[in-house]
Amino acid sequence: MGVCRTRSKRRVRGITRKDSGSNPRGTGQAAGAEGADCALAVSDASPALDVSAPETNTMLQAISDSVLDAVVVVDARGRVRYWNRAAERMFGYAGEDILGRDAHLVLAPGRYDAAIARAFARFAKTGEAPPIGKTLELQARRKDGTVFPIELSVSAFQMRGQWCAAAIVRDVTARKQAELQLHEYALTLKDRTAELTRSNRRLGREVKKRQEAHEALRREQQHLRRLLELHDHERRLISFEIHDGLAQDLAGAIMYLASARSALDSGESEAARLFDQGLALLRQGHEEARRLISGLRPPILDDCGLAVAIEELIAKWRGQQGPEIEFVNQLGEVRLSPLLEQTVFRVVQEGLTNACQHSESRRVRIELLAFSNGGARLVIRDWGKGFDPRHVRDGAYGLQGIKERIRLLGGEVEIHSLPGKGTRILAELPPP
């Protein structure tokens, strides 16, 4: 595989195929012209071209010089026998500089030396070696010492009874650079994909947080709406009680006193009677005012504490021939915050009203226990007809009011009830 220069004429060593047959491994049996070490011959068995040997040499020389891949032929000792112009451009060696030299010592990096020595020891005897008939990706060395990647295809043939190897060498530097860029692009894409995935996860978490915040806001709005409805219900109850009680008493007192003033002219006895009736209505109105005030916030709650206020509330229900009421006070004389005492009192008031008026229970139990760090735990239990908490009628402000009051203070409430099994209210209120 080399450029041969003989008598200032450049000729190409070729492969001659004889009619006598070919190598059983498929390698060509080649022989040069008698006495011409670098002559190119064409097989007489080939009908493709009707040209003379010199014309064939010229044609093959032109083809060899025009190909872009390096064509290199070495003998069994690894010496360069043919070297085309593409090889000159690729490796930087002119034909006269490389012909006859050991191709592998000149062109191959040192790390291949041991493998090449083993391969050529076998190749010289048998024409076989691991690279024969394969396409390999290796590295080669130029004249200036730079190492670059190549793609190498090797075939074997015989010439004058000796094995030779023909190699097609392709510089794949551009391809390797493209592969490297593609690999870098793939890594960059992987990194960006991973970052996008992380961003999507962060966005997903943010969306989830916003959805949760929106849902919490929606629930809060519902709670506030129910609280407003509860407050409106309580205001209407107070207005009804004032209208039907206190206002009626005061109006009657005014009428009696006005009548008494007119009756003074007709006699003292009639005036005294009317005056007494008016005074009685005023006193009744005063008591009604005190009752309303006590219903809003009983003075005894501020004066004597939560336990005494609950006992007074129980005493009023006992006086109405209601169920037996048991009060277990483990809070003792411990005072809670005013807001907490007011809330517990309201829950007891509502729970006791429901138990005494609607449960038809013969027994009610109230337990008041101290909770950790200044809180309170309240249990109201009856053994009446019970109800299904999932089907509470609209407008049942009592249970709703209990839930809302405790929730606003950050507490927890559980209402357990079954038809025929009674009702149990468990409320825990943390310290403020």
Side-chain angles (χ1 to χ4, degrees):
M1 174 166 65
V3 175
C4 300
R5 299 186 182 278
T6 304
R7 297 179 182 178
S8 73
K9 291 184 179 180
R10 188 176 185 184
R11 298 182 298 170
V12 179
R13 181 180 293 108
I15 301 173
T16 302
R17 294 188 297 174
K18 298 295 185 181
D19 293 337
S20 57
S22 62
N23 185 280
R25 288 180 296 275
T27 56
Q29 181 73 25
E34 184 71 24
D37 187 45
C38 293
L40 177 67
V42 178
S43 170
D44 293 336
S46 174
L49 295 174
D50 185 13
V51 294
S52 63
E55 291 174 330
T56 301
N57 287 341
T58 301
M59 181 181 64
L60 293 179
Q61 180 69 56
I63 293 173
S64 176
D65 288 343
S66 65
V67 297
L68 299 178
D69 293 335
V71 180
V72 182
V73 177
V74 298
D75 60 19
R77 296 172 59 185
R79 294 173 299 183
V80 178
R81 293 303 181 186
Y82 181 78
W83 188 262
N84 71 344
R85 288 184 179 177
E88 291 180 349
R89 293 191 299 269
M90 185 179 298
F91 291 97
Y93 290 97
E96 56 269 23
D97 297 332
I98 194 70
L99 288 175
R101 298 178 64 180
D102 189 322
H104 301 95
L105 291 178
V106 176
L107 306 178
R111 63 177 178 274
Y112 297 141
D113 289 349
I116 291 173
R118 290 193 299 271
F120 267 88
R122 178 182 176 187
F123 177 75
K125 297 178 181 180
T126 64
E128 296 179 350
I132 300 299
K134 299 178 182 178
T135 299
L136 306 175
E137 289 190 358
L138 303 170
Q139 288 189 325
R141 184 174 57 222
R142 294 190 178 94
K143 184 177 181 179
D144 61 5
T146 58
V147 177
F148 64 102
I150 62 170
E151 187 177 82
L152 177 68
S153 300
V154 184
S155 61
F157 64 92
Q158 280 189 322
M159 180 176 288
R160 296 176 183 173
Q162 293 187 355
W163 287 103
C164 296
I168 306 299
V169 185
R170 176 170 295 175
D171 185 350
V172 293
T173 300
R175 190 179 77 189
K176 291 296 182 181
Q177 290 176 346
E179 291 176 353
L180 179 60
Q181 289 180 347
L182 183 61
H183 179 67
E184 292 175 350
Y185 291 155
L187 292 178
T188 301
L189 180 60
K190 182 179 179 181
D191 292 340
R192 291 183 178 179
T193 301
E195 178 61 29
L196 181 60
T197 301
R198 290 191 293 269
S199 298
N200 286 338
R201 289 175 180 171
R202 290 194 296 268
L203 180 60
R205 290 193 294 268
E206 183 65 25
V207 170
K208 184 178 179 181
K209 289 181 180 178
R210 292 187 179 184
Q211 290 175 342
E212 291 174 349
H214 179 74
E215 180 63 21
L217 179 60
R218 186 187 65 81
R219 291 195 301 268
E220 186 66 21
Q221 288 174 341
Q222 290 179 343
H223 288 318
L224 291 176
R225 181 181 180 87
R226 288 196 296 268
L227 185 60
L228 290 174
E229 291 175 349
L230 175 64
H231 287 172
D232 182 66
H233 176 72
E234 290 182 343
R235 290 190 187 97
R236 283 190 283 112
L237 287 179
I238 293 173
S239 68
F240 291 154
E241 291 187 352
I242 292 175
H243 178 271
D244 296 340
L246 179 60
Q248 293 293 336
D249 291 341
L250 293 178
I254 292 173
M255 291 176 59
Y256 279 119
L257 291 177
S259 299
R261 178 68 182 85
S262 300
L264 287 176
D265 297 334
S266 59
E268 293 183 2
S269 59
E270 180 64 17
R273 184 183 66 81
L274 293 174
F275 184 85
D276 291 339
Q277 289 180 347
L279 183 60
L281 288 175
L282 284 176
R283 288 171 177 168
Q284 186 175 338
H286 180 258
E287 290 298 324
E288 181 66 13
R290 290 175 60 86
R291 187 187 69 80
L292 293 175
I293 293 171
S294 178
L296 294 175
R297 182 175 179 86
I300 193 173
L301 187 62
D302 295 322
D303 298 338
C304 302
L306 179 60
V308 176
I310 293 176
E311 289 175 349
E312 184 180 76
L313 184 64
I314 292 173
K316 292 180 180 180
W317 281 109
R318 284 173 178 164
Q320 298 179 18
Q321 302 300 317
E324 178 185 350
I325 302 174
E326 178 185 4
F327 179 38
V328 179
N329 176 23
Q330 296 185 8
L331 188 63
E333 297 181 358
V334 176
R335 295 300 301 266
L336 305 177
S337 68
L339 182 58
L340 201 57
E341 287 187 341
Q342 170 74 4
T343 301
V344 173
F345 180 81
R346 284 296 189 184
V347 172
V348 173
Q349 188 179 44
E350 189 62 44
L352 194 57
T353 299
N354 289 337
C356 293
Q357 290 185 347
H358 307 296
S359 73
E360 300 179 4
S361 176
R362 296 181 178 181
R363 178 186 171 203
V364 178
R365 178 182 175 89
I366 301 173
E367 298 180 31
L368 181 61
L369 304 93
F371 197 52
S372 58
N373 299 325
R377 189 171 189 266
L378 176 66
V379 181
I380 303 175
R381 179 80 166 92
D382 71 65
W383 288 263
K385 62 183 182 181
F387 61 94
D388 187 348
R390 296 173 300 177
H391 300 91
V392 178
R393 63 179 177 83
D394 294 336
Y397 291 98
L399 296 178
Q400 184 176 332
I402 290 176
K403 293 179 180 179
E404 293 299 329
R405 291 180 190 278
I406 295 176
R407 188 192 67 82
L408 290 174
L409 292 182
E412 296 180 359
V413 61
E414 298 178 2
I415 300 177
H416 302 280
S417 185
L418 287 173
K421 300 295 184 180
T423 302
R424 179 173 179 266
I425 300 174
L426 170 62
E428 292 185 349
L429 294 98

